[in-house]
Amino acid sequence: MNISHRYRFVFLATSHAASTSIGALLKPYADIAGIDRQLTGPSSPFFHHINAVDCRREMSAWGYDWAQYRHFCVVRNPFDRVVSLYHFSRRFAWHPSMGALTNVRRYVSYRLRSRLSFDDFVLSLNLESRPNLTLKNFICGPNGEELVEDILRFEELSEVLPLYLGSLGLPSGQLVLPRDNVSTGRVGGYRDYYTRASRERVERLFAYEIQRFGYEF
């Protein structure tokens, strides 16, 4: 998540859709950058993956008019994105800033997740524990209206992102998207991971973006 008052943009960081890379690229131009959820508080409420409704509320509390900014995020083929999410769930890194107790809890959770097969992982996904997982929950208001005007496709970022950032007034010719936080351990294409059960689960969970953007398996 990045907010720039000079360039009047709000970037909302969809998880596992180049959010870390884009956040790093935009940080020099941002007045507010998202932080880890465990580090948020009254003086720093902007979580890295904060959704549009919460971001709008927090901006208003800080005296910023949401309507005066352009808002953008990235959408990714859900079948591919869930494979990335699965491999990320099998990684663990100790974060000193979170404290020992939080890290121990994270490690226990990691150990449990790391034993799941891909199918078990997909079938265990639910929006109660991951409310921001789907694009609909991430960018839509209480009445289902989209609060984000510009949604860039992950699959076209290398071509589209520089042009889009240029339209915001950033020096797009000098901006090169880094490859940060890339999934490791993937074998074959994303289709190789799925059974019928896991495919149907993803189709149900991510029906909004599949229909809205015409994604196919």
Side-chain angles (χ1 to χ4, degrees), residues 159-177:
E159 296 82 19
V160 173
L161 185 62
L163 297 175
Y164 181 77
L165 296 180
S167 75
L168 297 176
L170 276 68
S172 58
Q174 303 175 28
L175 299 177
V176 178
L177 187 66

mmCIF file of all heavy atoms in Angstrom, residues 159-177:
data_model
loop_
_atom_site.group_PDB
_atom_site.id
_atom_site.type_symbol
_atom_site.label_atom_id
_atom_site.label_comp_id
_atom_site.label_asym_id
_atom_site.label_seq_id
_atom_site.Cartn_x
_atom_site.Cartn_y
_atom_site.Cartn_z
ATOM 1 N N GLU A 159 4.404 -4.229 -19.441
ATOM 2 C CA GLU A 159 4.074 -3.265 -20.480
ATOM 3 C C GLU A 159 3.173 -2.150 -19.955
ATOM 4 O O GLU A 159 3.359 -0.967 -20.297
ATOM 5 C CB GLU A 159 3.361 -3.956 -21.653
ATOM 6 C CG GLU A 159 4.188 -4.973 -22.406
ATOM 7 C CD GLU A 159 4.220 -6.330 -21.732
ATOM 8 O OE1 GLU A 159 3.323 -6.585 -20.898
ATOM 9 O OE2 GLU A 159 5.145 -7.122 -22.005
ATOM 10 N N VAL A 160 2.209 -2.511 -19.123
ATOM 11 C CA VAL A 160 1.173 -1.560 -18.718
ATOM 12 C C VAL A 160 1.602 -0.645 -17.572
ATOM 13 O O VAL A 160 1.276 0.547 -17.565
ATOM 14 C CB VAL A 160 -0.109 -2.327 -18.323
ATOM 15 C CG1 VAL A 160 -1.149 -1.385 -17.730
ATOM 16 C CG2 VAL A 160 -0.683 -3.059 -19.527
ATOM 17 N N LEU A 161 2.344 -1.185 -16.605
ATOM 18 C CA LEU A 161 2.664 -0.395 -15.409
ATOM 19 C C LEU A 161 3.447 0.882 -15.719
ATOM 20 O O LEU A 161 3.082 1.949 -15.204
ATOM 21 C CB LEU A 161 3.423 -1.248 -14.392
ATOM 22 C CG LEU A 161 3.696 -0.569 -13.049
ATOM 23 C CD1 LEU A 161 2.394 -0.207 -12.339
ATOM 24 C CD2 LEU A 161 4.542 -1.472 -12.154
ATOM 25 N N PRO A 162 4.513 0.840 -16.543
ATOM 26 C CA PRO A 162 5.222 2.099 -16.830
ATOM 27 C C PRO A 162 4.317 3.157 -17.457
ATOM 28 O O PRO A 162 4.415 4.347 -17.122
ATOM 29 C CB PRO A 162 6.333 1.668 -17.793
ATOM 30 C CG PRO A 162 6.545 0.218 -17.509
ATOM 31 C CD PRO A 162 5.182 -0.314 -17.179
ATOM 32 N N LEU A 163 3.430 2.738 -18.352
ATOM 33 C CA LEU A 163 2.514 3.684 -18.992
ATOM 34 C C LEU A 163 1.548 4.266 -17.963
ATOM 35 O O LEU A 163 1.264 5.478 -17.972
ATOM 36 C CB LEU A 163 1.737 2.987 -20.109
ATOM 37 C CG LEU A 163 2.562 2.456 -21.278
ATOM 38 C CD1 LEU A 163 1.672 1.686 -22.253
ATOM 39 C CD2 LEU A 163 3.265 3.597 -21.993
ATOM 40 N N TYR A 164 1.075 3.413 -17.088
ATOM 41 C CA TYR A 164 0.131 3.884 -16.072
ATOM 42 C C TYR A 164 0.804 4.865 -15.113
ATOM 43 O O TYR A 164 0.254 5.927 -14.802
ATOM 44 C CB TYR A 164 -0.453 2.711 -15.297
ATOM 45 C CG TYR A 164 -1.437 3.164 -14.254
ATOM 46 C CD1 TYR A 164 -2.731 3.546 -14.612
ATOM 47 C CD2 TYR A 164 -1.066 3.264 -12.914
ATOM 48 C CE1 TYR A 164 -3.635 4.000 -13.666
ATOM 49 C CE2 TYR A 164 -1.964 3.719 -11.962
ATOM 50 C CZ TYR A 164 -3.236 4.086 -12.339
ATOM 51 O OH TYR A 164 -4.125 4.555 -11.402
ATOM 52 N N LEU A 165 1.998 4.515 -14.647
ATOM 53 C CA LEU A 165 2.706 5.412 -13.728
ATOM 54 C C LEU A 165 3.044 6.730 -14.399
ATOM 55 O O LEU A 165 3.028 7.783 -13.767
ATOM 56 C CB LEU A 165 3.975 4.726 -13.205
ATOM 57 C CG LEU A 165 3.746 3.473 -12.352
ATOM 58 C CD1 LEU A 165 5.074 2.894 -11.896
ATOM 59 C CD2 LEU A 165 2.847 3.763 -11.165
ATOM 60 N N GLY A 166 3.331 6.674 -15.696
ATOM 61 C CA GLY A 166 3.570 7.903 -16.442
ATOM 62 C C GLY A 166 2.335 8.790 -16.467
ATOM 63 O O GLY A 166 2.433 10.017 -16.392
ATOM 64 N N SER A 167 1.161 8.167 -16.540
ATOM 65 C CA SER A 167 -0.080 8.942 -16.543
ATOM 66 C C SER A 167 -0.322 9.628 -15.204
ATOM 67 O O SER A 167 -1.075 10.602 -15.129
ATOM 68 C CB SER A 167 -1.268 8.037 -16.893
ATOM 69 O OG SER A 167 -1.623 7.197 -15.797
ATOM 70 N N LEU A 168 0.317 9.124 -14.144
ATOM 71 C CA LEU A 168 0.214 9.750 -12.824
ATOM 72 C C LEU A 168 1.218 10.879 -12.643
ATOM 73 O O LEU A 168 1.182 11.586 -11.638
ATOM 74 C CB LEU A 168 0.447 8.696 -11.728
ATOM 75 C CG LEU A 168 -0.547 7.539 -11.651
ATOM 76 C CD1 LEU A 168 -0.111 6.545 -10.571
ATOM 77 C CD2 LEU A 168 -1.955 8.030 -11.382
ATOM 78 N N GLY A 169 2.145 11.004 -13.601
ATOM 79 C CA GLY A 169 3.158 12.040 -13.521
ATOM 80 C C GLY A 169 4.497 11.564 -13.013
ATOM 81 O O GLY A 169 5.443 12.347 -12.900
ATOM 82 N N LEU A 170 4.622 10.274 -12.719
ATOM 83 C CA LEU A 170 5.907 9.734 -12.270
ATOM 84 C C LEU A 170 6.847 9.591 -13.466
ATOM 85 O O LEU A 170 6.394 9.422 -14.602
ATOM 86 C CB LEU A 170 5.720 8.370 -11.595
ATOM 87 C CG LEU A 170 5.345 8.383 -10.114
ATOM 88 C CD1 LEU A 170 3.942 8.925 -9.907
ATOM 89 C CD2 LEU A 170 5.456 6.986 -9.518
ATOM 90 N N PRO A 171 8.154 9.626 -13.210
ATOM 91 C CA PRO A 171 9.131 9.483 -14.301
ATOM 92 C C PRO A 171 9.199 8.034 -14.768
ATOM 93 O O PRO A 171 10.132 7.297 -14.445
ATOM 94 C CB PRO A 171 10.438 9.942 -13.667
ATOM 95 C CG PRO A 171 10.274 9.623 -12.213
ATOM 96 C CD PRO A 171 8.813 9.861 -11.911
ATOM 97 N N SER A 172 8.205 7.592 -15.521
ATOM 98 C CA SER A 172 8.048 6.177 -15.857
ATOM 99 C C SER A 172 9.250 5.607 -16.594
ATOM 100 O O SER A 172 9.551 4.418 -16.477
ATOM 101 C CB SER A 172 6.783 5.971 -16.689
ATOM 102 O OG SER A 172 6.826 6.755 -17.866
ATOM 103 N N GLY A 173 9.962 6.438 -17.348
ATOM 104 C CA GLY A 173 11.120 5.935 -18.085
ATOM 105 C C GLY A 173 12.247 5.479 -17.179
ATOM 106 O O GLY A 173 13.118 4.727 -17.595
ATOM 107 N N GLN A 174 12.226 5.929 -15.925
ATOM 108 C CA GLN A 174 13.276 5.569 -14.970
ATOM 109 C C GLN A 174 12.843 4.457 -14.018
ATOM 110 O O GLN A 174 13.609 4.058 -13.149
ATOM 111 C CB GLN A 174 13.665 6.808 -14.154
ATOM 112 C CG GLN A 174 14.124 7.997 -14.977
ATOM 113 C CD GLN A 174 14.366 9.227 -14.123
ATOM 114 O OE1 GLN A 174 14.690 9.137 -12.944
ATOM 115 N NE2 GLN A 174 14.189 10.397 -14.713
ATOM 116 N N LEU A 175 11.625 3.984 -14.163
ATOM 117 C CA LEU A 175 11.082 3.010 -13.227
ATOM 118 C C LEU A 175 11.150 1.607 -13.807
ATOM 119 O O LEU A 175 10.560 1.326 -14.841
ATOM 120 C CB LEU A 175 9.632 3.359 -12.874
ATOM 121 C CG LEU A 175 9.422 4.723 -12.207
ATOM 122 C CD1 LEU A 175 7.936 4.967 -11.990
ATOM 123 C CD2 LEU A 175 10.155 4.785 -10.877
ATOM 124 N N VAL A 176 11.885 0.753 -13.142
ATOM 125 C CA VAL A 176 11.990 -0.650 -13.543
ATOM 126 C C VAL A 176 11.447 -1.500 -12.411
ATOM 127 O O VAL A 176 11.903 -1.391 -11.267
ATOM 128 C CB VAL A 176 13.446 -1.043 -13.854
ATOM 129 C CG1 VAL A 176 13.531 -2.518 -14.231
ATOM 130 C CG2 VAL A 176 14.007 -0.174 -14.977
ATOM 131 N N LEU A 177 10.474 -2.336 -12.708
ATOM 132 C CA LEU A 177 9.841 -3.145 -11.675
ATOM 133 C C LEU A 177 10.799 -4.224 -11.181
ATOM 134 O O LEU A 177 11.228 -5.080 -11.951
ATOM 135 C CB LEU A 177 8.573 -3.804 -12.223
ATOM 136 C CG LEU A 177 7.702 -4.567 -11.222
ATOM 137 C CD1 LEU A 177 7.099 -3.599 -10.210
ATOM 138 C CD2 LEU A 177 6.601 -5.332 -11.950
#
